């Protein structure tokens, strides 16, 4: 599994494309190859401008810059500017478009923004927000080119080091849950939602078995802001516990029109299932309910 980061201005950033729910051409081109050392499944690739940045230890936030010393990644910028008043805990409005500096819809939660795609949503305070130009993707375990199966931008993660295996340069971390957004090509929101949910479950939990994934029928869904779209929920069950990080999984994908109204955008959340401290379904739905539009970055 590979994950990565790149500038939102980079023309290679993921734009969707769901011809096959589990395999599609890499939107990045051939990715830079990290050090190989025993199948380190959860390493991260970071691409910042033209500099390849290899990130060891999965999603812990420690960067290995050009083979130098570890340096802790900076936290994303807060949802409000330093000169802004304290975040407003007003329950929101009936306008599906948030402003450029959105406040949380849920009191006490924090806002995750994807300015490039014009999407915002709230997460509980214990979630870790990645920078808005961070791109997370997953690939086949045995793919030498690590072609992304699916990707999203500006993710937030619950307990990024929930499960760890190995040590040193071979250490692997896996988050308990993650959510993010991306653009979608094509005009079939139901197919896009199903493809996203199933691809994340396959990539993180069921490889190489696709038959362990089941999806519920698509449904219409409207968030608290009045944003309407197509929703698909999927689950992966019966995953062999071949290692301590193996688990079943669940995913929710919501597809809606982008701020311009001319293309579709997707928001997806995936999480480990039937594990200790599992993300409750009602919390996942509460996070989903806060998805809203914001004016995209120019």
């Amino acid at each position: 599994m590979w994950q990565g980061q790149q500038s939102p201005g980079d023309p290679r950033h993921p734009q969707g494309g769901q011809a096959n729910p589990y395999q599609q051409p890499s939107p990045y081109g051939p990715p830079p190859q990290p050090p190989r050392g025993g199948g380190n499944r959860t390493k991260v690739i970071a691409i910042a401008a033209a500099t390849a940045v290899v990130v060891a230890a999965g999603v812990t936030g420690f960067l290995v810059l050009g083979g130098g010393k570890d340096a802790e990644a900076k936290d994303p910028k807060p949802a409000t500017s330093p000169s802004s008043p304290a975040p407003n805990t007003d329950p929101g409005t009936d306008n599906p478009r948030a402003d450029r500096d959105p406040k949380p819809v849920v009191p006490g939660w924090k806002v995750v923004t994807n300015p490039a795609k014009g999407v915002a949503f709230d997460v509980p305070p214990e979630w870790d927000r990645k920078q808005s130009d961070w791109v997370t993707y997953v690939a086949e375990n045995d793919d030498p080119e690590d072609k992304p199966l699916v990707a999203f931008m500006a993710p937030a993660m619950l307990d990024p080091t929930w499960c760890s295996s190995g040590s040193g340069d071979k250490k692997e971390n896996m988050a308990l849950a993650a959510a993010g957004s991306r653009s979608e090509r094509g005009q079939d929101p139901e197919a896009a939602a199903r493809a996203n949910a199933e691809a994340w479950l396959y990539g993180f939990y069921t490889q190489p078995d696709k038959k362990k994934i089941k999806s519920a029928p698509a449904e219409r869904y409207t968030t608290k802001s009045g944003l309407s779209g197509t929703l698909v929920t999927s689950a992966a069950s019966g995953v062999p516990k071949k290692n301590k990080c193996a688990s079943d999984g669940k995913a929710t994908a919501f597809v809606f029109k982008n701020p311009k109204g001319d293309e579709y955008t997707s928001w997806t959340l995936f999480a480990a299932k039937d594990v200790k401290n599992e993300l409750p379904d009602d919390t996942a739905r509460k996070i989903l309910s806060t998805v809203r539009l914001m004016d995209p970055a120019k």
Side-chain angles (χ1 to χ4, degrees):
M1 177 189 70
W2 290 94
Q3 303 180 72
Q5 168 182 300
Q6 61 192 110
S7 167
D10 191 323
R12 297 174 300 169
H13 70 71
Q15 294 293 326
Q18 303 291 344
N20 185 304
Y22 306 120
Q23 183 64 59
Q24 53 186 303
S26 168
Y28 307 97
Q33 296 300 307
R36 297 290 182 173
N40 196 0
R41 184 171 180 266
T42 53
K43 284 185 179 177
V44 173
I45 286 294
I47 306 172
T51 304
V53 183
V54 177
V55 185
V59 290
T60 59
F62 288 87
L63 309 184
V64 182
L65 305 179
K69 295 181 179 179
D70 286 356
E72 187 173 359
K74 295 181 179 179
D75 290 334
K77 293 181 179 180
T80 57
S81 65
S83 60
S84 299
N88 183 2
T89 56
D90 183 82
T93 69
D94 58 0
N95 186 346
R97 186 186 301 274
D99 58 26
R100 287 301 307 277
D101 191 22
K103 309 302 186 292
V105 172
V106 180
W109 285 22
K110 53 191 180 184
V111 185
V112 181
T113 62
N114 182 347
K117 301 304 174 188
V119 177
F121 62 98
D122 294 356
V123 292
E126 65 270 20
W127 282 59
D128 178 26
R129 295 174 296 177
K130 297 302 180 183
Q131 294 166 338
S132 61
D133 59 354
W134 190 282
V135 176
T136 297
Y137 65 97
V138 63
E140 292 276 3
N141 292 339
D142 58 357
D143 182 358
E145 297 183 358
D146 301 299
K147 297 176 182 177
L149 296 168
V150 66
F152 53 41
M153 295 181 66
M157 299 179 180
L158 173 61
D159 195 355
T161 57
W162 164 66
C163 186
S164 300
S165 61
S167 61
D169 292 341
K170 297 181 181 180
K171 187 175 181 180
E172 302 178 7
N173 291 326
M174 187 172 182
L176 182 57
S181 53
R182 57 178 268 162
S183 293
E184 296 295 336
R185 291 194 181 103
Q187 299 296 314
D188 188 341
E190 180 177 340
R194 180 170 288 103
N196 272 283
E198 294 182 357
W200 283 113
L201 291 180
Y202 172 74
F204 266 91
Y205 305 104
T206 73
Q207 289 196 54
D209 189 353
K210 301 172 184 176
K211 295 181 180 179
K212 297 186 183 301
I213 301 171
K214 303 295 182 183
S215 294
E219 59 181 288
R220 293 293 298 173
Y221 181 82
T222 301
T223 69
K224 286 184 176 180
S225 70
L227 179 63
S228 295
T230 301
L231 181 70
V232 170
T233 57
S234 304
S237 301
V239 175
K241 305 305 185 285
K242 296 181 180 180
N243 57 67
K244 70 174 186 176
C245 293
S247 73
D248 292 343
K250 56 187 178 182
T252 299
F254 177 50
V255 176
F256 47 91
K257 285 289 183 72
N258 69 2
K260 295 181 179 179
D262 57 356
E263 293 182 350
Y264 286 101
T265 297
S266 65
W267 174 92
T268 306
L269 180 152
F270 64 87
K273 185 167 73 75
D274 299 329
V275 297
K276 184 179 180 180
N277 299 323
E278 174 183 351
L279 177 70
D281 290 343
D282 59 352
T283 301
R285 279 275 175 163
K286 191 172 183 178
I287 296 172
L288 165 65
S289 73
T290 69
V291 176
R292 54 203 183 274
L293 301 179
M294 59 183 290
D295 290 331
K298 304 298 183 183

